[in-house]
Amino acid sequence: MFRANQLTYPKLLIYSYYQRYITILPSAVCNKSYSKFGAKHDFLANDAIELSINMDQNLLKQWQAISDNEPDFMVNCSQLCALLMQQIDEISWCGFYWNREKMLVVGAYQGPLACTRIAYEDGVCGAAFTQRQVQIIDDVSLFEGHIACDSGSASEIAIPIVQHGQVIGVFDIDSYILKRFDHQFSVYLEKLIQYFVENTIIPKFV
Ligand code: SME
């Protein structure tokens, strides 16, 4: 069933299938064409699986289409969080923590209310920041020092945001299911965040 009220961006066409939303992009940014979805009954289960797998790979292309010629920091932070929340299955929170005032301070995000400030030595975000390494946590209850902004969180990924060789923040994603994130996903996410950094004017206060 086509849901016109779900159209949040003109380039995105959202189609509901077995209660999951799958975003179909213009052929320029997606290896599927609209015509394949002309009739609901043509939309086979295999297509849903294939699209779900392709979704991570297409995130960068989607972001490039959305942020084309748009370097504004607040716009891009907000839009990127909204895109990821809409496009990535089974996540509960995604957003930025920026290195400000000798702490990690929350920035734009989507999801339930989050911790405002995190010390460098604390939590999954602190580990990503101080170790300059992606943290993929299959089960947050086993991570010593995990900060439970939302008691429902089960797994998490945090990636350092690097600009000119300096870690300027962390991008964090939470999920209510265990083992939601894997290495392959982290590679896509890192590419996406790097593209964001290179194409956004990040203000001095960060
Ligand atoms: N769980 C994070 C804190 C941030 S929230 O998940 C939004 C951590 O342990 O650093």
Side-chain angles (χ1 to χ4, degrees), residues 12-23:
L12 304 183
L13 173 63
I14 295 178
Y15 191 97
S16 171
Y17 182 72
Y18 291 156
Q19 298 167 349
R20 290 176 64 194
Y21 293 122
I22 292 172
T23 300

Side-chain angles (χ1 to χ4, degrees), residues 30-193:
C30 183
N31 56 12
K32 294 279 178 183
S33 68
Y34 286 124
S35 59
K36 191 163 183 77
F37 306 98
K40 183 171 181 177
H41 298 296
D42 293 340
F43 192 79
L44 305 174
N46 284 343
D47 292 322
I49 292 163
E50 189 185 333
L51 269 175
S52 179
I53 291 166
N54 286 339
M55 202 60 76
D56 290 345
Q57 296 170 354
N58 282 331
L59 274 176
L60 178 60
K61 288 176 182 172
Q62 293 175 44
W63 176 245
Q64 287 169 335
I66 290 164
S67 67
D68 191 26
N69 293 323
E70 180 53 80
D72 186 90
F73 178 73
M74 285 196 286
V75 169
N76 284 348
C77 288
S78 305
Q79 294 285 63
L80 182 59
C81 292
L83 174 72
L84 298 188
M85 199 54 153
Q86 183 176 295
Q87 291 295 81
I88 302 173
D89 286 341
E90 294 163 327
I91 64 171
S92 54
W93 194 94
C94 68
F96 294 91
Y97 279 91
W98 296 108
N99 179 21
R100 302 175 62 188
E101 301 153 11
K102 299 189 174 156
M103 302 196 93
L104 296 173
V105 183
V106 79
Y109 67 88
Q110 292 254 328
L113 193 65
C115 319
T116 305
R117 292 168 188 270
I118 297 175
Y120 293 148
E121 63 272 21
D122 287 346
V124 179
C125 291
F129 183 81
T130 54
Q131 295 171 29
R132 298 176 65 113
Q133 270 186 354
V134 176
Q135 305 291 312
I136 300 172
I137 312 300
D138 290 342
D139 180 350
V140 294
S141 71
L142 303 178
F143 185 94
E144 196 176 338
H146 168 255
I147 302 163
C149 299
D150 176 351
S151 60
S153 289
S155 60
E156 178 164 357
I157 184 170
I159 74 159
I161 305 172
V162 180
Q163 186 187 41
H164 310 314
Q166 302 265 24
V167 186
I168 58 170
V170 170
F171 194 82
D172 187 43
I173 308 182
D174 293 331
S175 173
Y176 288 153
I177 63 169
L178 293 168
K179 296 187 178 176
R180 172 60 188 85
F181 309 105
D182 60 14
H183 174 71
Q184 193 182 40
F185 178 78
S186 79
V187 171
Y188 298 135
L189 189 61
E190 277 187 291
K191 280 189 192 156
L192 185 60
I193 295 298

